[in-house]
Amino acid sequence: MRFPNRIFGIKFAGQLAIIFLVVSSLGCTDSVLKKINPSSSPDAKVIHPVPEGNITFVTTGSSFSPIITVTGNPEIQWKFGDGSTSDSTSPNVNFGSEGTRANTLVVTPWSAVTKINIGYDGSDGGVTPGPNTIENLKNQNVIAVTGLENVAPYLQVWASSYNPVTELDFSNFTALHTIECLYCTSLETIRLHNVPSLTRLCLEHCNISYLDLSEAPSLADLRGASQLSSTYTINWGDTGAQVWHICVRDNPQMNSTFPVNQFPLLEEFFIWNCNQNGTLNLTSTNLKSVLLSNNYYTAVNFSGCFPAGRKCILNIDNNNLTSLDISNDPGLLHLNVSRNSLDQTAVDGILQTLDAYDTSDGSLDLTGNAAPSVIGMAYANNLTSRGWEVKS
């Protein structure tokens, strides 16, 4: 086969350097062409550059099976660490062995992406069935995610439970309403700058030392129990108007308090073993369950917080209480105030108050405080006669 002479030009620093390459018909074989252009070989491995504007999931497992939810009919381009590709919203690639790999995603347009799921099992309340349901998916061994800013204005749901990811940045995710990061035990940093739609934040069993909620004004459900960090600070800012559930239990390293006057809709307050002390004065009249065990409170005021018609629970055992106000709380049916420092007057007052509500089938534990007086025991007997279980 004959080939015409060819001239190749290479431009360096604004000047054109001409390199003359003469390919003659003498001795010109396919092997020469392959040296000039290796991609012409069917056996050559061509490494294509990663496109700009992608999301990259760095994984360490032997497989990767993410799930994304999109609207419309966008173009989806997955490229996995083994070179394979997919256009599926739920691809499944088996690498054959464990190893660190970069897996990239490009969706055109990015505005079609509403949900990214790399791990979820519905634990800790989960997301109720409906349009925002998250599919159950095992941990995908993701240790890092970059490029999430591509979906910042569009993503509504993020799920990465049980993954060893260390950092997540949701700055300016203005449509994001749900974050699920249960048991992300390596997660040290989560940025929540300008997240006006965020309502549910699950960070149970992570490694976060500082959580800034000041730019999440719509937050309603916070789950941030059992951090592995040596310190734990929550900055609420002015957030709290929509909050109904707070669970940050089992954080004895906590060094911040709760602005409870900012939570007018609070129903469930689970902060046992959280290094809280001093006086607590809750103001929400929507309370149903308050669990404050194993703290250091000395005085607590719940007056008017438990209206009639409810079967409310208050556990404040193992604190340093000398004062407890449960006036105007006929909906309080289960009270554990054991192992505190209540004197006989305070104990008698609790018994008298609960007896006056004329409610039935409740429970009261006063053990570990002063013993009630004879008058106090009369109130206790009245409660018992109406089906209350009273321990004193």
Side-chain angles (χ1 to χ4, degrees), residues 31 59 104 212 235 239 265 298 328 356:
S31 62
T59 62
T104 62
D212 190 347
N235 175 27
T239 294
L265 304 181
T298 55
N328 303 310

Side-chain angles (χ1 to χ4, degrees), residues 14 47 62 79 90 143 152 178 328 338 348 352:
I47 301 176
S62 60
K79 183 172 182 182
S90 55
I143 62 172
T178 299
N328 303 310
S338 62
D348 284 354
Q352 181 182 14

